[in-house]
Amino acid sequence: MDDKTLSIIFEASKQSVKNIFDSMIARSVEFLEEVDPVALKERTDLIVALIGVDGEVKGSVGVVVDVALGRKLVTAMLGVDEPQDSDIVDVAGEMANMVTGGVKVLVEARFPHFSITCPTVMAGQFDFPQTPSQTVHLLKFKSEDDI
């Protein structure tokens, strides 16, 4: 993906996350630096939800949360006081779905042939593969009250 397309997808991803937090969770978000995927390789407490993207733009859009943040998201979104691990997995998948759907809506005028897959959700330790044809870019953000 060229730098211009990547920049468009990044900005749409940021806007989509902001829209979700504003409307679904009633909290604002602040975007921080990009995260090096290698830095997450040793973490064992991650929930990774990825949505495949195909068409004029190819790749994946996803959400990576640790279990602690996942619990806070479940409580904020579903009102569940003591979320189970399965609730966290479900919410991570739904967040990825909402973020990617938001990206699709925001870029469809520029990339009309933009299709998405169902989310794939993985828990535990995860290695983000880096190849010359597929680079992983992770946006880091924080929200008020550290949610």
Side-chain angles (χ1 to χ4, degrees):
M1 185 178 321
D2 63 65
D3 289 342
K4 185 175 181 178
T5 302
L6 181 62
S7 176
I8 292 167
I9 298 299
F10 259 59
E11 290 308 310
S13 297
K14 287 179 182 180
Q15 186 61 49
S16 184
V17 169
K18 181 184 179 317
N19 293 347
I20 291 164
F21 271 71
D22 286 348
S23 64
M24 299 281 301
I25 305 171
R27 288 184 168 81
S28 62
V29 293
E30 174 187 348
F31 291 92
L32 306 172
E33 72 283 351
E34 187 176 346
V35 177
D36 180 0
V38 175
L40 300 179
K41 189 174 183 177
E42 301 303 317
R43 301 271 308 262
T44 59
D45 62 337
L46 299 178
I47 309 290
V48 179
L50 298 173
I51 304 275
V53 175
D54 200 10
E56 294 168 276
V57 177
K58 296 181 185 321
S60 297
V61 175
V63 173
V64 180
V65 297
D66 63 25
V67 173
L69 176 58
R71 290 188 190 290
K72 290 179 182 180
L73 288 171
V74 170
T75 299
M77 290 178 71
L78 304 179
V80 175
D81 291 330
E82 295 184 32
Q84 304 298 311
D85 289 345
S86 61
D87 296 327
I88 299 168
V89 169
D90 289 347
V91 164
E94 187 54 34
M95 288 286 294
N97 219 3
M98 290 188 296
V99 169
T100 308
V103 169
K104 181 179 180 181
V105 168
L106 292 167
V107 302
E108 67 186 345
R110 183 160 184 113
F111 304 110
H113 304 290
F114 186 105
S115 61
I116 61 178
T117 66
C118 293
T120 299
V121 182
M122 299 157 281
Q125 194 169 10
F126 187 75
D127 185 13
F128 295 91
Q130 299 276 352
T131 67
S133 65
Q134 182 175 359
T135 313
V136 175
H137 298 274
L138 300 174
L139 294 173
K140 182 177 183 179
F141 64 92
K142 72 176 184 175
S143 179
E144 55 197 60
D145 301 329
D146 287 327
I147 188 170

